[in-house]
Amino acid sequence: MKNNKSVIIWLLSGCFLVFVMVVVGGITRLTNSGLSMTDWHLVTDTFPPLTEAKWQETFEAYKQFPEYQKINIHNDFTISDYKFIYFWEWFHRLIGRVLGFVFLIPFVYFLLKKKFDPATLKKCGILLAMGGFQGFLGWFMVKSGLIDNPDVSHFRLSLHLTFAFITFAYTLWVALDLIYPEKKEALVPLQKIARISLVVLLIQIIYGGFVAGLNAGLVHNHWPLMSDGQFFHESILLEKDTWLARFTESISGVQFVHRTLAYGVVGLIVYLYYKSKNYSLNATQQKGIYALLGIVFLQFALGVFTLLYSVPIWLGLTHQVMAFFLLTAMTYTLHRLSK
C-alpha cells in the first residue's frame, strides 16, 4: 500500500467527485434544472453568462425549447427563475469537467512515472473509458428533452444515473485492490449472496432512476399499501397495455416495483448477515456486513418517508445520498468476501 499511496488517494478523490456530481445531479433533477442549458460549448460554457445582456440572450434561447413553451411560460417564469435553474445544471457540468481533469492529468503523470502495475493500468484504462462514456450519456439524456417532450427520457436518466453509480463502485473496487493487496481465499457462500445482493441493488437503483424520471414518487403516497386496501394498485393495469410497459413506463407500475424490490434488498442483506454468523470473519468483513445492515434499514426508512411526504427536495436528495452509502458498503463487503 505504501508505494501506491498516491494512486489510492487519486482513486478515492475520483470516488468523492463522482459522489458530489451525483448529489448535484440529484438537486438538478429535483429542481427541474436539467434542461436549462440548451446548447453545449466546451470552452465558453465553463463560466455562466457574465453580463445581463448575455443572460438575456441565453434566456431567449431557452424560450425556444419545449420546457419553457409547454410548462414555464404558464408559471410567470422570470429571468431570475432561469438563473436559478441554470446554476444547478452549469454546476453539474462544471464538476464533470473538474472530474475529467482530476482523473486524466494524474493518470498521465502516474503512467509516465511507472506507478501502475499492468493489472492496475488496465483497470484505470477501463475507468478512463467509463468516464468518457458517462459524459456522452449526460448529453444523450439532455438531448431527449430538447425536441418535443419537455422532460428527459426516464430510460436515459436512469442509464445516466446507474452508470455513475457503477463507475463509482468500480473506482472504489480498484482502490480497494491497492489498499488490500494480500491474497486470501474467498468465502464463497457469502460471496455468492453478496453478488446477488449487488445485482438486486443495481436493479433497484435503475428503478430509482425510473421513479425520478417519471416523478412517480408524487403518487400513491401511502405505506405499506399503495392506497387503502391495495398492495397492487389497480391503476397499474390501466396505464399501459402490456406487462413490460406497465412495469417500465407506467408511473404506478414503476413505483410498485421500486417499493416492492426494497423488501428484496433488505431481505438479502439480512440473510447475508444471518449466514455470516456461521463463519469466522476478520475485522474488515465484520465491519462491512454490519455497515450494510445498518445502512439498508436507514435507507428503507428514508424511502418510506420520502414517499409519505411526496418527495420534498431534502428528503429525495438524502434518499439518493444514502443509496450511494449503501452501494459503498456493498462494494466494500463484496471485496472483503472475495479473493
Side-chain angles (χ1 to χ4, degrees), residues 233-264:
H233 199 271
E234 60 190 8
S235 60
I236 297 172
L237 302 176
L238 302 175
E239 290 176 10
K240 299 293 177 180
D241 295 329
T242 67
W243 284 105
L244 179 62
R246 285 167 184 158
F247 292 125
T248 57
E249 300 177 38
S250 157
I251 292 175
S252 299
V254 161
Q255 192 203 101
F256 172 78
V257 173
H258 191 56
R259 66 193 289 159
T260 305
L261 198 57
Y263 294 107

Side-chain angles (χ1 to χ4, degrees), residues 23-303:
V23 170
V24 174
I27 298 172
T28 302
R29 177 61 195 173
L30 290 166
T31 56
N32 296 311
S33 303
L35 297 177
S36 57
M37 294 179 70
T38 57
D39 203 354
W40 175 259
H41 302 285
L42 186 59
V43 178
T44 57
D45 283 347
T46 301
F47 300 99
L50 300 177
T51 65
E52 283 302 315
K54 187 62 179 175
W55 269 116
Q56 194 62 49
E57 179 186 332
T58 308
F59 187 36
E60 291 302 319
Y62 170 74
K63 289 181 179 180
Q64 308 307 310
F65 288 87
E67 184 175 74
Y68 179 82
Q69 295 175 348
K70 296 183 179 182
I71 298 176
N72 286 333
I73 196 173
H74 307 296
N75 295 333
D76 296 323
F77 194 78
T78 66
I79 193 168
S80 178
D81 299 318
Y82 176 66
K83 287 179 180 180
F84 174 78
I85 65 171
Y86 185 100
F87 168 79
W88 287 111
E89 177 62 11
W90 167 80
F91 191 38
H92 185 54
R93 296 188 189 192
L94 178 66
I95 295 171
R97 283 188 175 98
V98 171
L99 181 58
F101 283 115
V102 166
F103 191 85
L104 188 58
I105 294 174
F107 174 79
V108 173
Y109 172 79
F110 292 140
L111 188 63
L112 294 175
K113 291 291 185 178
K114 302 187 184 328
K115 291 277 189 178
F116 298 126
D117 59 64
T120 304
L121 177 60
K122 181 179 178 181
K123 294 169 190 173
C124 290
I126 293 171
L127 282 174
L128 187 64
M130 291 175 77
F133 186 60
Q134 178 68 357
F136 163 77
L137 288 177
W139 168 84
F140 184 62
M141 176 190 70
V142 169
K143 190 174 184 295
S144 66
L146 296 176
I147 303 173
D148 298 313
N149 186 10
D151 206 352
V152 298
S153 160
H154 70 287
F155 291 114
R156 297 188 188 188
L157 183 147
S158 184
L159 181 60
H160 185 50
L161 175 68
T162 305
F163 197 75
F165 274 85
I166 292 172
T167 301
F168 169 88
Y170 187 65
T171 306
L172 178 60
W173 188 277
V174 177
L176 290 171
D177 280 344
L178 298 177
I179 294 170
Y180 301 106
E182 76 282 358
K183 300 295 182 182
K184 59 183 178 58
E185 286 301 314
L187 292 174
V188 176
L190 298 184
Q191 182 192 49
K192 287 180 179 178
I193 300 170
R195 282 177 174 172
I196 294 169
S197 301
L198 177 60
V199 170
V200 174
L201 176 59
L202 287 174
I203 295 172
Q204 179 71 329
I205 290 169
I206 290 170
Y207 267 87
F210 287 172
V211 169
L214 292 172
N215 294 315
L218 302 179
V219 298
H220 311 305
N221 301 109
H222 305 273
W223 187 83
L225 303 178
M226 294 185 76
S227 66
D228 293 337
Q230 287 189 316
F231 175 74
F232 182 90
H233 199 271
E234 60 190 8
S235 60
I236 297 172
L237 302 176
L238 302 175
E239 290 176 10
K240 299 293 177 180
D241 295 329
T242 67
W243 284 105
L244 179 62
R246 285 167 184 158
F247 292 125
T248 57
E249 300 177 38
S250 157
I251 292 175
S252 299
V254 161
Q255 192 203 101
F256 172 78
V257 173
H258 191 56
R259 66 193 289 159
T260 305
L261 198 57
Y263 294 107
V265 175
V266 173
L268 281 166
I269 291 174
V270 170
Y271 181 61
L272 176 63
Y273 169 77
Y274 171 76
K275 294 294 288 185
S276 72
K277 295 297 183 182
N278 298 325
Y279 297 86
S280 178
L281 304 181
N282 62 38
T284 61
Q285 292 166 338
Q286 287 181 335
K287 287 177 182 177
I289 291 175
Y290 287 143
L292 260 182
L293 193 66
I295 293 171
V296 77
F297 279 112
L298 183 55
Q299 174 67 340
F300 187 90
L302 281 170

